[in-house]
Amino acid sequence: MPPVIGYDIPMSTIFSKIIAREIPAQIVYEDDLCLAFRDIHAQAPVHILVIPKKEIPRLAAATTADEPLLGHLVLTARQIAEKEGLLESGFRIVINSGPDGGETVPHLHVHLLGGRPMAWPPG
Ligand code: 5GP
């Protein structure tokens, strides 16, 4: 087995506090496995974060056991994109993992971005 990066680090990030309702957020969706809320520094007209309730620090720390959960996060992002009216115009999902990925909060999250054309390559 490869080392599991970051899995042993005890976490209590701002996202755990949002899950626990200890700090407010504009929540748009919740189920047993995940929570989705609007990003506080929106980079597009629609910018929503979909996070697992399980405290996985980042994609680099995910294991095969997380496969159903990761699929659930992506399909939840797709459901929210539909609710936000983005299916036809299009949207982007992003997962930043680690320093070079641009990760700033060590609680795995899927960015859902839409409502404007996205550039490529990303910065
Ligand atoms: P990352 O850079 O780790 O991929 O994404 C973290 C995201 O979390 C950033 O887009 C940032 O704006 C967002 N964020 C950080 N703190 C908060 C917060 O307290 N509330 C909300 N709604 N978003 C946050």
Side-chain angles (χ1 to χ4, degrees):
M1 281 283 286
V4 180
I5 302 160
Y7 229 174
D8 297 333
I9 298 168
M11 295 190 343
S12 186
T13 70
I14 199 112
F15 290 176
S16 302
K17 292 184 171 68
I18 289 174
I19 292 169
R21 307 300 203 273
E22 287 168 17
I23 63 164
Q26 286 186 56
I27 293 169
V28 298
Y29 178 81
E30 181 171 25
D31 63 25
D32 289 349
L33 297 175
C34 72
L35 185 75
F37 53 90
R38 294 192 192 279
D39 196 293
I40 204 165
H41 294 124
Q43 302 299 317
V46 176
H47 187 174
I48 290 168
L49 303 172
V50 185
I51 71 171
K53 289 186 175 175
K54 179 179 176 183
E55 291 187 337
I56 303 170
R58 60 193 55 82
L59 190 57
T63 71
T64 51
D66 298 313
E67 189 172 329
L69 177 58
L70 294 173
H72 182 68
L73 297 178
V74 170
L75 284 175
T76 297
R78 181 248 174 252
Q79 290 305 112
I80 296 169
E82 183 169 20
K83 265 201 243 164
E84 296 284 326
L86 299 175
L87 285 197
E88 217 167 291
S89 55
F91 58 91
R92 180 173 290 177
I93 65 168
V94 173
I95 300 176
N96 297 324
S97 183
D100 280 359
E103 171 202 311
T104 59
V105 179
H107 183 132
L108 177 65
H109 47 282
V110 175
H111 294 260
L112 167 65
L113 296 146
R116 67 164 172 81
M118 301 289 152
W120 194 264

